[in-house]
mmCIF file of all heavy atoms in Angstrom:
data_model
loop_
_atom_site.group_PDB
_atom_site.id
_atom_site.type_symbol
_atom_site.label_atom_id
_atom_site.label_comp_id
_atom_site.label_asym_id
_atom_site.label_seq_id
_atom_site.Cartn_x
_atom_site.Cartn_y
_atom_site.Cartn_z
ATOM 1 N N SER A 1 169.983 58.121 80.903
ATOM 2 C CA SER A 1 169.063 59.061 80.319
ATOM 3 C C SER A 1 169.370 60.395 81.148
ATOM 4 O O SER A 1 169.968 60.373 82.165
ATOM 5 C CB SER A 1 167.611 58.770 80.299
ATOM 6 O OG SER A 1 167.190 58.608 81.677
ATOM 7 N N GLY A 2 168.800 61.556 80.640
ATOM 8 C CA GLY A 2 168.999 62.823 81.185
ATOM 9 C C GLY A 2 170.091 63.680 80.814
ATOM 10 O O GLY A 2 170.191 64.792 81.270
ATOM 11 N N GLY A 3 170.923 63.178 79.996
ATOM 12 C CA GLY A 3 171.971 64.108 79.434
ATOM 13 C C GLY A 3 171.481 65.216 78.567
ATOM 14 O O GLY A 3 170.342 65.134 78.109
ATOM 15 N N GLY A 4 172.330 66.161 78.289
ATOM 16 C CA GLY A 4 171.919 67.291 77.377
ATOM 17 C C GLY A 4 172.836 68.363 77.583
ATOM 18 O O GLY A 4 173.935 68.218 78.025
ATOM 19 N N LEU A 5 172.376 69.495 77.055
ATOM 20 C CA LEU A 5 173.167 70.745 77.059
ATOM 21 C C LEU A 5 172.753 71.642 78.140
ATOM 22 O O LEU A 5 171.528 71.895 78.329
ATOM 23 C CB LEU A 5 173.082 71.494 75.714
ATOM 24 C CG LEU A 5 173.705 72.912 75.590
ATOM 25 C CD1 LEU A 5 175.235 72.716 75.666
ATOM 26 C CD2 LEU A 5 173.269 73.521 74.327
ATOM 27 N N VAL A 6 173.671 72.130 78.994
ATOM 28 C CA VAL A 6 173.352 72.979 80.125
ATOM 29 C C VAL A 6 174.398 74.108 80.225
ATOM 30 O O VAL A 6 175.483 73.847 79.886
ATOM 31 C CB VAL A 6 173.270 72.234 81.354
ATOM 32 C CG1 VAL A 6 174.633 71.504 81.722
ATOM 33 C CG2 VAL A 6 172.762 73.011 82.571
ATOM 34 N N GLN A 7 173.995 75.262 80.549
ATOM 35 C CA GLN A 7 174.908 76.312 80.775
ATOM 36 C C GLN A 7 175.754 76.227 81.998
ATOM 37 O O GLN A 7 175.362 75.614 82.968
ATOM 38 C CB GLN A 7 174.161 77.734 80.749
ATOM 39 C CG GLN A 7 173.582 78.071 79.447
ATOM 40 C CD GLN A 7 172.854 79.479 79.509
ATOM 41 O OE1 GLN A 7 172.534 79.960 80.582
ATOM 42 N NE2 GLN A 7 172.681 79.986 78.381
ATOM 43 N N ALA A 8 176.928 76.721 81.985
ATOM 44 C CA ALA A 8 177.841 76.725 83.172
ATOM 45 C C ALA A 8 177.144 77.353 84.383
ATOM 46 O O ALA A 8 176.513 78.370 84.217
ATOM 47 C CB ALA A 8 179.139 77.487 82.943
ATOM 48 N N GLY A 9 177.225 76.723 85.553
ATOM 49 C CA GLY A 9 176.540 77.107 86.730
ATOM 50 C C GLY A 9 175.150 76.452 86.953
ATOM 51 O O GLY A 9 174.651 76.576 88.001
ATOM 52 N N GLY A 10 174.707 75.791 85.913
ATOM 53 C CA GLY A 10 173.456 75.168 86.013
ATOM 54 C C GLY A 10 173.506 73.780 86.644
ATOM 55 O O GLY A 10 174.553 73.339 87.025
ATOM 56 N N SER A 11 172.298 73.108 86.731
ATOM 57 C CA SER A 11 172.283 71.776 87.283
ATOM 58 C C SER A 11 171.701 70.759 86.249
ATOM 59 O O SER A 11 170.933 71.126 85.400
ATOM 60 C CB SER A 11 171.404 71.843 88.585
ATOM 61 O OG SER A 11 171.957 72.591 89.498
ATOM 62 N N LEU A 12 172.079 69.543 86.503
ATOM 63 C CA LEU A 12 171.531 68.479 85.605
ATOM 64 C C LEU A 12 171.573 67.154 86.387
ATOM 65 O O LEU A 12 172.487 66.938 87.166
ATOM 66 C CB LEU A 12 172.402 68.337 84.372
ATOM 67 C CG LEU A 12 171.841 67.410 83.218
ATOM 68 C CD1 LEU A 12 170.551 68.070 82.588
ATOM 69 C CD2 LEU A 12 172.977 67.233 82.164
ATOM 70 N N SER A 13 170.507 66.377 86.164
ATOM 71 C CA SER A 13 170.482 65.006 86.748
ATOM 72 C C SER A 13 170.449 63.971 85.753
ATOM 73 O O SER A 13 169.696 64.038 84.775
ATOM 74 C CB SER A 13 169.306 64.951 87.690
ATOM 75 O OG SER A 13 169.196 63.629 88.268
ATOM 76 N N VAL A 14 171.366 63.055 85.745
ATOM 77 C CA VAL A 14 171.420 61.932 84.824
ATOM 78 C C VAL A 14 170.911 60.664 85.616
ATOM 79 O O VAL A 14 171.115 60.538 86.711
ATOM 80 C CB VAL A 14 172.718 61.662 84.207
ATOM 81 C CG1 VAL A 14 173.070 62.852 83.237
ATOM 82 C CG2 VAL A 14 173.881 61.559 85.213
ATOM 83 N N SER A 15 170.203 59.773 84.941
ATOM 84 C CA SER A 15 169.609 58.655 85.504
ATOM 85 C C SER A 15 170.004 57.348 84.766
ATOM 86 O O SER A 15 170.233 57.417 83.586
ATOM 87 C CB SER A 15 168.068 58.919 85.568
ATOM 88 O OG SER A 15 167.405 57.660 86.224
ATOM 89 N N CYS A 16 169.981 56.322 85.424
ATOM 90 C CA CYS A 16 170.313 54.988 84.928
ATOM 91 C C CYS A 16 169.242 53.987 85.386
ATOM 92 O O CYS A 16 168.993 53.744 86.539
ATOM 93 C CB CYS A 16 171.704 54.669 85.361
ATOM 94 S SG CYS A 16 172.118 52.925 84.841
ATOM 95 N N GLY A 17 168.627 53.313 84.417
ATOM 96 C CA GLY A 17 167.706 52.230 84.769
ATOM 97 C C GLY A 17 168.274 50.889 84.407
ATOM 98 O O GLY A 17 168.940 50.744 83.357
ATOM 99 N N ILE A 18 168.035 49.984 85.324
ATOM 100 C CA ILE A 18 168.616 48.584 85.060
ATOM 101 C C ILE A 18 167.427 47.614 84.991
ATOM 102 O O ILE A 18 166.499 47.658 85.722
ATOM 103 C CB ILE A 18 169.528 48.161 86.164
ATOM 104 C CG1 ILE A 18 170.157 46.748 85.865
ATOM 105 C CG2 ILE A 18 168.977 48.160 87.524
ATOM 106 C CD1 ILE A 18 171.329 46.454 86.815
ATOM 107 N N SER A 19 167.527 46.760 84.041
ATOM 108 C CA SER A 19 166.485 45.778 83.754
ATOM 109 C C SER A 19 166.565 44.601 84.733
ATOM 110 O O SER A 19 167.633 44.355 85.344
ATOM 111 C CB SER A 19 166.582 45.259 82.265
ATOM 112 O OG SER A 19 167.713 44.493 82.092
ATOM 113 N N GLY A 20 165.584 43.764 84.831
ATOM 114 C CA GLY A 20 165.531 42.607 85.586
ATOM 115 C C GLY A 20 165.091 42.789 86.944
ATOM 116 O O GLY A 20 164.521 43.910 87.302
ATOM 117 N N ARG A 21 165.006 41.783 87.784
ATOM 118 C CA ARG A 21 164.445 41.850 89.187
ATOM 119 C C ARG A 21 165.536 41.782 90.272
ATOM 120 O O ARG A 21 165.127 41.496 91.397
ATOM 121 C CB ARG A 21 163.361 40.758 89.291
ATOM 122 C CG ARG A 21 162.220 40.989 88.309
ATOM 123 C CD ARG A 21 161.201 39.787 88.531
ATOM 124 N NE ARG A 21 161.730 38.522 88.137
ATOM 125 C CZ ARG A 21 161.704 38.174 86.964
ATOM 126 N NH1 ARG A 21 161.123 38.800 85.907
ATOM 127 N NH2 ARG A 21 162.154 36.870 86.632
ATOM 128 N N THR A 22 166.734 42.019 89.921
ATOM 129 C CA THR A 22 167.869 41.901 90.828
ATOM 130 C C THR A 22 168.691 43.079 91.090
ATOM 131 O O THR A 22 169.741 43.039 91.588
ATOM 132 C CB THR A 22 168.832 40.736 90.449
ATOM 133 O OG1 THR A 22 169.368 41.065 89.125
ATOM 134 C CG2 THR A 22 168.174 39.369 90.329
ATOM 135 N N PHE A 23 167.978 44.254 90.828
ATOM 136 C CA PHE A 23 168.670 45.425 90.942
ATOM 137 C C PHE A 23 169.320 45.705 92.355
ATOM 138 O O PHE A 23 170.464 46.226 92.532
ATOM 139 C CB PHE A 23 167.688 46.665 90.670
ATOM 140 C CG PHE A 23 168.356 48.078 90.800
ATOM 141 C CD1 PHE A 23 169.357 48.441 89.962
ATOM 142 C CD2 PHE A 23 167.975 48.949 91.891
ATOM 143 C CE1 PHE A 23 169.971 49.757 90.009
ATOM 144 C CE2 PHE A 23 168.569 50.197 91.865
ATOM 145 C CZ PHE A 23 169.567 50.502 91.099
ATOM 146 N N SER A 24 168.576 45.315 93.386
ATOM 147 C CA SER A 24 169.008 45.498 94.789
ATOM 148 C C SER A 24 170.257 44.730 95.163
ATOM 149 O O SER A 24 170.925 44.931 96.122
ATOM 150 C CB SER A 24 167.905 45.141 95.765
ATOM 151 O OG SER A 24 167.566 43.727 95.766
ATOM 152 N N ALA A 25 170.687 43.769 94.304
ATOM 153 C CA ALA A 25 171.870 42.893 94.549
ATOM 154 C C ALA A 25 173.150 43.583 94.069
ATOM 155 O O ALA A 25 174.303 43.062 94.206
ATOM 156 C CB ALA A 25 171.640 41.525 93.896
ATOM 157 N N TYR A 26 173.011 44.727 93.311
ATOM 158 C CA TYR A 26 174.155 45.392 92.638
ATOM 159 C C TYR A 26 174.601 46.643 93.325
ATOM 160 O O TYR A 26 173.802 47.539 93.649
ATOM 161 C CB TYR A 26 173.796 45.756 91.238
ATOM 162 C CG TYR A 26 173.525 44.502 90.326
ATOM 163 C CD1 TYR A 26 172.223 43.950 90.255
ATOM 164 C CD2 TYR A 26 174.610 43.980 89.563
ATOM 165 C CE1 TYR A 26 172.097 42.828 89.349
ATOM 166 C CE2 TYR A 26 174.417 42.940 88.824
ATOM 167 C CZ TYR A 26 173.208 42.301 88.637
ATOM 168 O OH TYR A 26 173.038 41.254 87.821
ATOM 169 N N ALA A 27 175.918 46.802 93.443
ATOM 170 C CA ALA A 27 176.516 48.047 93.718
ATOM 171 C C ALA A 27 176.612 48.900 92.401
ATOM 172 O O ALA A 27 176.802 48.180 91.340
ATOM 173 C CB ALA A 27 177.819 47.954 94.268
ATOM 174 N N MET A 28 176.327 50.092 92.468
ATOM 175 C CA MET A 28 176.325 50.932 91.230
ATOM 176 C C MET A 28 177.337 52.077 91.181
ATOM 177 O O MET A 28 177.763 52.510 92.238
ATOM 178 C CB MET A 28 174.893 51.520 91.021
ATOM 179 C CG MET A 28 173.847 50.569 91.095
ATOM 180 S SD MET A 28 173.750 49.454 89.663
ATOM 181 C CE MET A 28 173.503 50.597 88.231
ATOM 182 N N GLY A 29 177.731 52.372 89.982
ATOM 183 C CA GLY A 29 178.728 53.459 89.796
ATOM 184 C C GLY A 29 178.466 54.385 88.726
ATOM 185 O O GLY A 29 177.829 53.939 87.688
ATOM 186 N N TRP A 30 178.918 55.512 88.710
ATOM 187 C CA TRP A 30 178.979 56.438 87.525
ATOM 188 C C TRP A 30 180.415 56.762 87.167
ATOM 189 O O TRP A 30 181.355 57.041 88.043
ATOM 190 C CB TRP A 30 178.296 57.855 87.936
ATOM 191 C CG TRP A 30 176.750 57.771 87.868
ATOM 192 C CD1 TRP A 30 175.946 57.586 89.024
ATOM 193 C CD2 TRP A 30 175.916 57.687 86.689
ATOM 194 N NE1 TRP A 30 174.676 57.433 88.601
ATOM 195 C CE2 TRP A 30 174.653 57.633 87.227
ATOM 196 C CE3 TRP A 30 176.163 57.866 85.306
ATOM 197 C CZ2 TRP A 30 173.533 57.619 86.439
ATOM 198 C CZ3 TRP A 30 175.092 57.894 84.508
ATOM 199 C CH2 TRP A 30 173.775 57.771 85.067
ATOM 200 N N PHE A 31 180.660 56.674 85.845
ATOM 201 C CA PHE A 31 181.988 57.003 85.324
ATOM 202 C C PHE A 31 181.840 58.077 84.273
ATOM 203 O O PHE A 31 180.649 58.174 83.748
ATOM 204 C CB PHE A 31 182.718 55.734 84.739
ATOM 205 C CG PHE A 31 182.990 54.710 85.811
ATOM 206 C CD1 PHE A 31 182.059 53.874 86.354
ATOM 207 C CD2 PHE A 31 184.332 54.722 86.388
ATOM 208 C CE1 PHE A 31 182.297 52.901 87.323
ATOM 209 C CE2 PHE A 31 184.608 53.656 87.344
ATOM 210 C CZ PHE A 31 183.633 52.840 87.882
ATOM 211 N N ARG A 32 182.782 58.698 83.858
ATOM 212 C CA ARG A 32 182.578 59.595 82.678
ATOM 213 C C ARG A 32 183.979 59.617 81.858
ATOM 214 O O ARG A 32 185.030 59.246 82.359
ATOM 215 C CB ARG A 32 182.392 61.068 83.174
ATOM 216 C CG ARG A 32 183.596 61.753 83.883
ATOM 217 C CD ARG A 32 183.109 63.186 84.359
ATOM 218 N NE ARG A 32 184.217 63.839 84.950
ATOM 219 C CZ ARG A 32 184.037 64.973 85.638
ATOM 220 N NH1 ARG A 32 182.863 65.624 85.700
ATOM 221 N NH2 ARG A 32 185.124 65.703 86.224
ATOM 222 N N GLN A 33 183.819 60.003 80.635
ATOM 223 C CA GLN A 33 184.905 60.077 79.671
ATOM 224 C C GLN A 33 184.922 61.439 79.021
ATOM 225 O O GLN A 33 184.010 61.706 78.274
ATOM 226 C CB GLN A 33 184.886 58.887 78.595
ATOM 227 C CG GLN A 33 186.144 58.946 77.789
ATOM 228 C CD GLN A 33 186.290 57.666 77.088
ATOM 229 O OE1 GLN A 33 185.338 56.827 76.994
ATOM 230 N NE2 GLN A 33 187.553 57.367 76.498
ATOM 231 N N ARG A 34 185.852 62.378 79.415
ATOM 232 C CA ARG A 34 185.984 63.553 78.712
ATOM 233 C C ARG A 34 186.628 63.471 77.406
ATOM 234 O O ARG A 34 187.330 62.526 77.106
ATOM 235 C CB ARG A 34 186.756 64.520 79.617
ATOM 236 C CG ARG A 34 186.217 64.712 81.006
ATOM 237 C CD ARG A 34 187.138 65.618 81.876
ATOM 238 N NE ARG A 34 186.723 65.676 83.284
ATOM 239 C CZ ARG A 34 187.332 66.375 84.213
ATOM 240 N NH1 ARG A 34 188.486 67.053 83.944
ATOM 241 N NH2 ARG A 34 186.932 66.301 85.404
ATOM 242 N N PRO A 35 186.325 64.551 76.481
ATOM 243 C CA PRO A 35 186.960 64.417 75.205
ATOM 244 C C PRO A 35 188.496 64.227 75.230
ATOM 245 O O PRO A 35 189.192 65.019 75.856
ATOM 246 C CB PRO A 35 186.561 65.676 74.518
ATOM 247 C CG PRO A 35 185.239 66.056 75.265
ATOM 248 C CD PRO A 35 185.532 65.561 76.682
ATOM 249 N N GLY A 36 189.018 63.223 74.484
ATOM 250 C CA GLY A 36 190.391 63.055 74.543
ATOM 251 C C GLY A 36 191.094 62.486 75.833
ATOM 252 O O GLY A 36 192.292 62.328 75.785
#
């Protein structure tokens, strides 16, 4: 969550929630896919 439209030079925070009770057992990563 947290995506959207922002002007160049601005800031934005995206967040990820994970279900269950074992979150602390996971390493986490962010990836992205640019158009094309």
Side-chain angles (χ1 to χ4, degrees):
S1 62
L5 177 65
V6 62
Q7 292 184 339
S11 298
L12 189 68
S13 178
V14 291
S15 180
C16 174
I18 184 170
S19 65
R21 297 180 292 274
T22 59
F23 179 70
S24 62
Y26 293 90
M28 304 294 297
W30 283 99
F31 297 79
R32 71 183 182 186
Q33 188 165 12
R34 303 176 186 180

